[in-house]
Structure formats: C-alpha cells, structure tokens
Amino acid sequence: MTDDRMTLIELVEKQADGDLVREMLAFAAERIMEAEVEERTGAAKGARSPLREVQRNGYRDRDWDTRAGRIALEIPKLRKGSYLPSFLEPRRTAEKALVAVIQEAYVQGVSTRSVDDLVKAMGAGGMSKSQVSRLCVEIDERVNAFLSRPLEGAWPYLWLDATYVKVREGGRIVSRAVIIAVAVNEDGKREVLGVATGPSEAETFWTDFLRSLADRGLRGVKRVVADDHKGLRAAARRVFDATHQRCRVHWMRNALAHAPAKQRTAVAAMLKTIFAQENKADAEAQWEVVADALREKQARLGTLMDASRDDVLAYMDFPREH
C-alpha cells in the first residue's frame, strides 16, 4: 500500500473516539468468514438444507493484528475439519487489499480494479468475485451513510486537515486533495464529520466542503483548528464566523524547519515553555522572550513567530478544560 494511502487512513482516524477503519475491517472480516463458511458447509447459518455437508460447532476467539489496530475475531468452528479465514493465511495480502478498498470508499467509491485486487488477495479458497463485489458495495454504502449522516447538537471545536493521494481517473493516475473534518461536541465526544476530495485546496473547495457540513446540521462552531492556509481561513470565516486556531503540531513542525538540525531539540524545548504557561498573558510574554532569544541566530524563525503568535495562542481564549 502506498504511503499516501496510509496518511489518509491516519487522517480519517485522527482524534476520533471510534476507530473507523478498524470497525470497517471488523465488519468486512465478519462478512468474509460467513461467506467462506457457508461455502465450506454447503448452507447458510441456521438454514436447514439437504446440501449441508458439515455442521457448525460454535466459535473460537482470536485476535487479528492489523494496520488499523487489533480486532477481536469470532471464527466459526466446524464439527468436522477446521476452518481458517483466508485473510489470516500466511503470505496473503488480504488485509492490505481490504484497507485499500476502505480508503477508496472514503475518497471516491470502490472501483472495479480494487475489487479485482481483493479477489486476487483472497486466493483461490476465498470468496468468489460476486461475493467480493457485494462486500465492496456494502462497504461503500456504510461509508456513504456515515459521511452523509445528519449532524445534531453544537460542535464548538472543528479540526480540518488535508493530504494528497493518487487516484485513477480516466485511465490516468492523478493527485487529488483529500480534506477531513473532525469535531468535538458539547459532551466532549470527537467524531469524523466528513471527507471530501478535489483537484486542489482552493478556497472554493474549502467553502463548498464547509457549507456541506453546515447543510447537514453542523452549528455552534467557535474555533476552527487548521494549518495556515489562506483559502481555508477565508472559507471558515465566511461559513462559520469562528476563531481560527493554527494547528500547534503543524506550526511546531514549520518552526523547527527554520532551526539548524543540531539545535532543533534545544529550540523545541524553548518553544514548549510557551505552551506550559497557565494563562494567555503569561504565554504571550514568554512568546516574546523566546522569539527575541531565537531571532539573533534564526532570523526566519523570529519572523515566523512575530507573524503567527495570535493564531497559535488563540486556544487560550477558551476555558482551560476544553
């Protein structure tokens, strides 16, 4: 699997209470096991059929360690013979193919190519192509239902992030921007609210995406946490009229890029003293102390700090417990 797909999976999972990819993998694993056992026994679970060749005999527990985390499986047992799911067989690439299908469902819908890749990864003893196709349709439907669900209540804090992934369009591989929205509601629960793709991170793209969230019921947004992107900032202000909070993780990464490699540990320690302050006034004062100390040898870092203080410290205007 490509690195950009892994980046997208991490973005989809980022800061959400539920591990979406793991849940989807667990759902797919259950469907796969039922289809394979039905093929082995000659009849569906609980069905009375003269074609049944062997009876089921309960389940056995087994953990499946995947890229998305550990999944607790209940593997069907048979009265005669044994059964091992095809995705657990050595040297199989079914897990990677399944994650690729889930990723594609979030980005553009599952393609015929991904179905074929999954069929191949399952091996000769796995599901048929028609069964794999039905599974992919179910994954598509579940993902689409999740990404279009109504949003209820107020969501004071909204995180926006983006990456670029390679997708196939018209027989060509092209780069597409993928943006992810994660929010926290008044109960403190984090959820992925939406995913969208487009040719670039232009302001119109961000505006359309944020308006689609508003149309689904997103309201009460007080703070938008994101990287320093002018198009995003303008779109968030237009749609939600919310405070912009520059992402501290991204800002720290940008700041350290201006420091010599051998000095980055020391510079990071100095910058962290800013965020350790108890209130905004103290943080602003410490910000100036650190900026003045660093600008003598890292002028570009000093300039960055002068321009970004208010955006980075915006979170201190809100209650500390948030």
Side-chain angles (χ1 to χ4, degrees), residues 44-321:
K45 180 181 178 182
R48 296 180 178 275
S49 172
L51 300 177
R52 181 179 293 278
E53 299 175 4
V54 62
Q55 297 289 333
R56 294 180 178 231
N57 190 28
Y59 297 88
R60 61 185 176 92
D61 296 330
R62 174 168 171 171
D63 288 334
W64 181 26
D65 290 319
T66 73
R67 164 62 183 77
R70 179 167 293 182
I71 296 174
L73 299 175
E74 291 186 342
I75 301 176
K77 292 166 43 177
L78 307 177
R79 291 190 182 277
K80 292 182 181 180
S82 60
Y83 163 66
L84 180 69
S86 58
F87 55 82
L88 294 182
E89 293 179 8
R91 296 179 296 280
R92 286 273 185 253
T93 58
E95 179 199 332
K96 288 184 178 180
L98 273 171
V99 173
V101 164
I102 295 168
Q103 180 267 345
E104 201 169 57
Y106 278 100
V107 176
Q108 60 181 13
V110 181
S111 66
T112 301
R113 183 187 182 93
S114 291
V115 173
D116 291 340
D117 288 344
L118 182 54
V119 171
K120 186 182 300 182
M122 299 299 293
M127 301 167 70
S128 67
K129 183 171 182 176
S130 62
Q131 290 173 318
V132 171
S133 295
R134 285 197 296 272
L135 171 62
C136 291
V137 168
E138 288 189 84
I139 290 174
D140 250 347
E141 291 174 346
R142 290 171 72 94
V143 169
N144 288 335
F146 176 79
L147 295 179
S148 60
R149 71 195 187 282
L151 302 174
E152 299 178 351
W155 301 80
Y157 306 111
L158 176 67
W159 280 260
L160 298 172
D161 211 339
T163 189
Y164 281 84
V165 298
K166 304 294 185 184
V167 298
R168 184 178 297 274
E169 287 186 357
R172 297 185 304 115
I173 301 297
V174 298
S175 181
R176 300 276 289 180
V178 181
I179 55 178
I180 315 290
V182 177
V184 176
N185 64 16
E186 292 179 310
D187 296 327
K189 184 178 180 181
R190 299 174 184 266
E191 289 189 13
V192 173
L193 301 189
V195 180
T197 63
S200 69
E201 296 178 72
E203 181 181 337
T204 53
F205 180 35
W206 283 110
T207 300
D208 290 344
F209 177 58
L210 295 181
R211 282 177 175 163
S212 73
L213 296 178
D215 290 344
R216 287 168 47 206
L218 180 60
R219 60 180 179 81
V221 177
K222 298 178 181 178
R223 178 156 58 103
V224 175
V225 183
D227 203 359
D228 187 30
H229 188 290
K230 291 182 180 179
L232 186 159
R233 184 194 295 261
R237 185 169 54 248
R238 179 179 296 110
V239 178
F240 295 118
D241 192 26
T243 300
H244 179 266
Q245 164 70 52
R246 189 162 176 177
C247 177
R248 279 172 48 184
V249 174
H250 289 171
W251 180 85
M252 182 70 81
R253 189 181 303 149
N254 293 340
L256 293 178
H258 293 308
K262 293 183 179 180
Q263 298 179 22
R264 285 174 185 169
T265 300
V267 171
M270 294 177 67
L271 294 174
K272 288 178 181 178
T273 64
I274 298 170
F275 305 114
Q277 304 305 310
E278 291 294 323
N279 57 64
K280 188 172 185 179
D282 290 345
E284 289 177 338
Q286 183 65 10
W287 185 288
E288 297 305 323
V289 170
V290 173
D292 289 341
L294 291 174
R295 78 173 74 252
E296 294 182 8
K297 294 184 178 181
Q298 285 99 37
R300 293 175 63 188
L301 178 52
T303 300
L304 172 67
M305 294 187 69
D306 290 341
S308 58
R309 187 194 72 176
D310 292 344
D311 283 349
V312 177
L313 297 182
Y315 72 96
M316 287 191 159
D317 289 326
F318 293 84
R320 187 175 181 85
E321 59 270 19

